[in-house]
Amino acid sequence: MNIIRKIGVLVFIGLALASTKLINQKAMDTQTLAQTTILSEDQQAIKDLIDELFKAADDRKWGIAESTMANSVYVDYSALGGTVGFQSPEEIVSGWKAFLPGFDRTVHQVHNQAIWVAGDRASATFDAIAAHYLEAGSGENHWTVFVGYDTEFIKQDGKWRLARIDLSLYDQVGNSELPQAALAVMENGAANPLASASDATATVEKFFQALEATNFEALVNTLDDEVVQKMPLAPANFPEEIVGIEAMKSLYKGVMDYEQSYDRIYLPTSNPNTVIVKFNGQVTTGEGKPYNNAYVNIYMVKQGKITEIVEMFNLNILLSGWPGLKPESYSVHAAGASTTSGVTLEAVVFNSQGVNLKGHLFLPPNFDASKTYPAAIVTGSWTSVKEQMPDEYASLLARDGLITLTFDFTGFGESEGQPRQVEDYQLKIADIKAAVDFLTRHPSVNKDELSGLGVCASSGYMAHATAQDKRIKQLVLVAPWLHNPAIAKSIYDLRPGGTEGLLASSKAAKAKYESTGEMEYVLGASELDPLSAMYVPENAFDYYLDPAKAAGAKYDNRFAVSSWEPWLTFDGIAAGKEITQPVFIVHSESGAVPHGAKEFYDHLKGDKEIVWLNDFNQQQLYFEEAAVNAAMGEVVKYLSK
């Protein structure tokens, strides 16, 4: 019988028979939320709940685990062949009871939390290293999965409760036969008790103390001459194994000038010579750069010396923070240009109506400042930030010889502006024209070859900016969401309260902000909340929720309620009547409002061309490598004419 079917939905682990390496899609510069952000009371409560839930599973405190959940929880483990749907806390926990105690120890290191609160609803994404230890007759004694979660919470009677959890598998390492062995233990009615002490702890503590004191001699003294350090989750450009005392000396000598401290928890196993340590590192490198990773390490000790270390960490944080390393892609997923492609990224700042906007300027391979290059401004979907599809497309255009600019709109991402997360077409069109100002002042930009490229909802903003600003020489739209008030009404009348209700709530939210300075928010995307900006269940807006796609610390999953009025009254289609520059469109019949794109196209009076990539849907054109490459192939071919 399939193991997933036997143990039900396992919220904390994933059994997959092949490593997916989805982590390569997550190249954001991420650190744990607690280390970078002052949490609100609600955010802290949700963070504490997440920690309590996973700790309860590891400690086998089943009642506590159930108490963290709403009466019904939507669980989606379809990526692992598991059950999808609503379950009670008792049903969920019964699956864990029947499986997890078959291991000597389970350890979940939860980190990289990003939490967004909107009234009595909240969503959060986070990563977890989940190590499962069991003494095996052969092979490794651990099976470890590196996973991402996107979750939702509901506030009930003043307390937050888990209401949805969805897992993405990034990677798995170790002994893939251990889950079956643990299941066999439980079927024999012999759950493994949790060990309470380990002889290895004292030696490992000396190791950590030496690290914190940067006492190289003391650290080396804790290591056996034949010591081995394994790093199975390491990226391709980082060693997976260090063998022998001399190699270890070389490794650790390099970090002796780092300031470092480690919050650690010792977790004994059934083997007194083996201890698992869950810890977070607070490190300042020799370059003065923070490097704060999360770890689950397994230490084996013999005669007072460490003989083996299995070190498991978040490779994304390693690539973003470790000296000499960098993410694999300029995008949050693999479809963006590789950081080894020759493209370079410069962080830039420019002003729009008194607000400083943060941007990324991508320069092509072999960039020569004495020459001029064609250029493009690239913008993304509503609520998005530059690190999502804008950087994806811009980095690929730069790889093909253009200078490209992405930026966060006013009130979004890293840019200034209050209130936050306001989807206002007037502000966004003004920001695009400010970006034109910035690029046309760049000495290496050919002002006669400046394009505007809009993806999804920003297509309407980019179209209006093109109609108003003739410095934009051609308009390119990819997967354009183009609507007018009539199309908006046909869509949003299906929402609770309909279009009129949303308009009324928008006006009330704007008035409240003007009088109190407080903006009301709903979730940007939700699988559960019909009042969220993007609510269609069954992963319809998975791009904004899934940390393996584009969710994470750079994105704010909130939507200012005052945004409904400008959004519902905006007419992106009408701009087609005013555009005289050439226009190129790449879309899909299964994408967003294709009839809006067709109506816009019919309004165009000048040179125009449209290509339909009907093998892909809207979100695939945001991030999937095949879809993005197909779209970019058409765009580059057009711009090269």
Side-chain angles (χ1 to χ4, degrees):
M1 181 182 292
N2 182 283
I3 191 170
I4 291 292
R5 294 173 184 256
K6 292 191 75 171
I7 63 179
V9 179
L10 303 178
V11 171
F12 299 114
I13 64 170
L15 176 60
L17 299 180
S19 171
T20 60
K21 287 292 184 183
L22 288 176
I23 189 63
N24 290 335
Q25 299 178 354
K26 296 181 73 251
M28 281 188 279
D29 182 11
T30 52
Q31 301 290 343
T32 62
L33 184 67
Q35 293 165 341
T36 59
T37 307
I38 298 174
L39 302 185
S40 70
E41 183 178 343
D42 283 322
Q43 286 176 313
Q44 186 63 56
I46 291 168
K47 181 182 182 300
D48 291 344
L49 181 146
I50 293 168
D51 292 340
E52 182 180 32
L53 176 61
F54 282 85
K55 186 177 187 302
D58 288 338
D59 292 344
R60 304 175 188 175
K61 302 290 180 64
W62 310 121
I64 293 176
E66 290 180 12
S67 72
T68 65
M69 303 179 194
N71 293 333
S72 182
V73 180
Y74 190 83
V75 182
D76 187 345
Y77 275 69
S78 57
L80 302 175
T83 304
V84 177
F86 286 97
Q87 293 195 345
S88 70
E90 294 80 10
E91 289 173 320
I92 294 170
V93 172
S94 67
W96 311 343
K97 288 181 181 179
F99 180 65
L100 296 182
F103 293 98
D104 288 346
R105 175 75 69 175
T106 60
V107 181
H108 290 84
Q109 171 62 284
V110 178
H111 58 288
N112 267 356
Q113 296 99 331
I115 302 169
W116 307 278
V117 178
D120 62 358
R121 298 277 185 161
S123 69
T125 64
F126 49 92
D127 294 333
I129 301 168
H132 307 76
Y133 185 88
L134 180 61
E135 292 283 337
S138 61
E140 299 279 357
N141 291 331
H142 76 98
W143 171 64
T144 300
V145 291
F146 183 22
V147 296
Y149 290 95
D150 69 85
T151 55
E152 294 188 52
F153 302 84
I154 298 175
K155 201 171 191 178
Q156 299 174 327
D157 300 323
K159 294 185 177 180
W160 289 100
R161 294 288 181 264
L162 177 72
R164 184 179 72 86
I165 189 161
D166 189 343
L167 176 147
S168 298
L169 176 67
Y170 302 147
D171 201 0
Q172 64 167 323
V173 294
N175 188 344
S176 62
E177 296 181 1
L178 287 190
Q180 187 66 52
L183 187 61
V185 169
M186 297 305 296
E187 289 177 340
N188 291 330
N192 288 311
L194 294 174
S196 59
S198 171
D199 296 341
T201 300
T203 298
V204 177
E205 175 60 18
K206 291 178 182 177
F207 173 85
F208 275 100
Q209 290 178 0
L211 267 180
E212 291 180 324
T214 61
N215 187 332
F216 183 65
E217 183 177 348
L219 184 142
V220 171
N221 196 45
T222 66
L223 304 176
D224 185 81
D225 286 346
E226 304 300 322
V227 64
V228 175
Q229 179 164 325
K230 300 177 181 179
M231 293 171 280
L233 288 172
N237 54 350
F238 202 77
E240 286 192 19
E241 190 169 279
I242 306 294
V243 179
I245 190 65
E246 294 305 320
M248 291 287 277
K249 286 180 180 180
S250 178
L251 175 68
Y252 283 95
K253 187 70 172 178
V255 302
M256 284 298 106
D257 62 340
Y258 292 6
E259 294 181 14
Q260 47 196 307
S261 64
Y262 301 93
D263 298 326
R264 49 199 180 269
I265 298 173
Y266 289 97
L267 300 162
T269 71
S270 59
N271 184 340
N273 295 318
T274 299
V275 65
I276 301 174
V277 186
K278 178 170 74 171
F279 62 102
N280 293 287
Q282 292 81 47
V283 176
T284 301
T285 70
E287 302 169 337
K289 184 177 181 180
Y291 173 68
N292 305 322
N293 214 327
Y295 303 81
V296 176
N297 282 15
I298 304 171
Y299 293 87
M300 281 138 276
V301 175
K302 184 177 181 181
Q303 297 179 349
K305 300 285 187 179
I306 297 171
T307 59
E308 182 173 293
I309 304 171
V310 180
E311 181 170 283
M312 290 164 289
F313 47 75
N314 187 318
L315 68 88
N316 240 11
I317 297 175
L318 178 80
L319 288 171
S320 297
W322 193 257
L325 298 181
K326 58 184 177 180
E328 295 182 6
S329 169
Y330 283 115
S331 173
V332 296
H333 19 73
S338 166
T339 53
T340 61
S341 64
V343 172
T344 56
L345 181 154
E346 293 182 358
V348 297
V349 181
F350 59 94
N351 194 272
S352 176
Q353 303 183 106
V355 173
N356 287 326
L357 305 184
K358 298 289 185 69
H360 289 160
L361 188 70
F362 294 92
L363 302 176
N366 302 312
F367 174 73
D368 184 344
S370 67
K371 298 180 180 179
T372 61
Y373 296 81
I377 299 164
V378 183
T379 55
S381 63
W382 74 332
T383 80
S384 67
V385 292
K386 61 185 179 298
E387 287 80 9
Q388 295 171 329
M389 72 283 287
D391 279 359
E392 183 110 26
Y393 279 87
S395 64
L396 290 172
L397 281 177
R399 189 186 64 185
D400 284 299
L402 280 76
I403 294 175
T404 55
L405 173 68
T406 66
F407 64 93
D408 290 325
F409 286 104
T410 296
F412 287 84
E414 296 179 323
S415 290
E416 296 176 352
Q418 294 291 339
R420 309 297 294 173
Q421 308 303 120
V422 176
E423 194 70 33
D424 187 327
Y425 65 89
Q426 295 183 33
L427 285 174
K428 291 199 165 185
I429 292 169
D431 288 349
I432 291 171
K433 290 194 281 187
V436 174
D437 292 340
F438 174 80
L439 266 191
T440 54
R441 288 195 298 265
H442 195 289
S444 297
V445 167
N446 183 339
K447 299 176 183 60
D448 294 325
E449 294 187 77
L450 175 60
S451 301
L453 191 159
V455 180
C456 191
S458 71
S459 293
Y461 310 144
M462 189 66 77
H464 275 277
T466 301
Q468 298 170 25
D469 194 332
K470 302 308 177 184
R471 293 177 299 174
I472 301 176
K473 301 304 181 183
Q474 49 197 351
L475 174 66
V476 177
L477 305 179
V478 177
W481 172 295
L482 290 161
H483 74 270
N484 55 25
I487 291 176
K489 182 174 175 58
S490 70
I491 295 170
Y492 291 97
D493 270 352
L494 303 176
R495 300 288 299 272
T499 304
E500 293 306 314
L502 293 173
L503 287 170
S505 68
S506 178
K507 292 177 181 178
K510 185 176 181 180
K512 180 179 178 180
Y513 180 77
E514 289 174 347
S515 63
T516 68
E518 296 180 5
M519 176 56 69
E520 292 185 2
Y521 294 92
V522 294
L523 292 178
S526 170
E527 293 281 316
L528 300 179
D529 185 4
L531 297 179
S532 64
M534 293 178 278
Y535 168 68
V536 181
E538 299 180 4
N539 292 331
F541 295 109
D542 189 50
Y543 178 83
Y544 301 95
L545 294 169
D546 189 343
K549 295 179 182 176
K554 298 290 187 182
Y555 178 67
D556 188 338
N557 188 34
R558 297 180 303 157
F559 182 83
V561 175
S562 67
S563 303
W564 283 123
E565 183 175 19
W567 177 252
L568 294 170
T569 59
F570 179 54
D571 190 343
I573 293 173
K577 300 176 182 178
E578 309 299 327
I579 294 172
T580 58
Q581 301 95 315
V583 178
F584 180 67
I585 301 173
V586 179
H587 206 1
S588 169
E589 293 281 4
S590 58
V593 288
H595 54 294
K598 292 175 182 178
E599 187 175 346
F600 171 84
Y601 189 77
D602 289 342
H603 286 325
L604 297 169
K605 299 297 190 289
D607 293 340
K608 60 183 180 180
E609 184 179 347
I610 189 167
V611 173
W612 295 94
L613 299 177
N614 293 329
D615 289 339
F616 307 108
N617 63 32
Q618 187 75 9
Q619 290 192 63
Q620 287 175 313
L621 287 165
Y622 294 167
F623 78 97
E624 281 194 6
E625 195 164 5
V628 171
N629 284 340
M632 288 307 302
E634 297 293 343
V635 170
V636 170
K637 182 168 60 177
Y638 173 79
L639 293 177
S640 300
K641 290 181 179 178

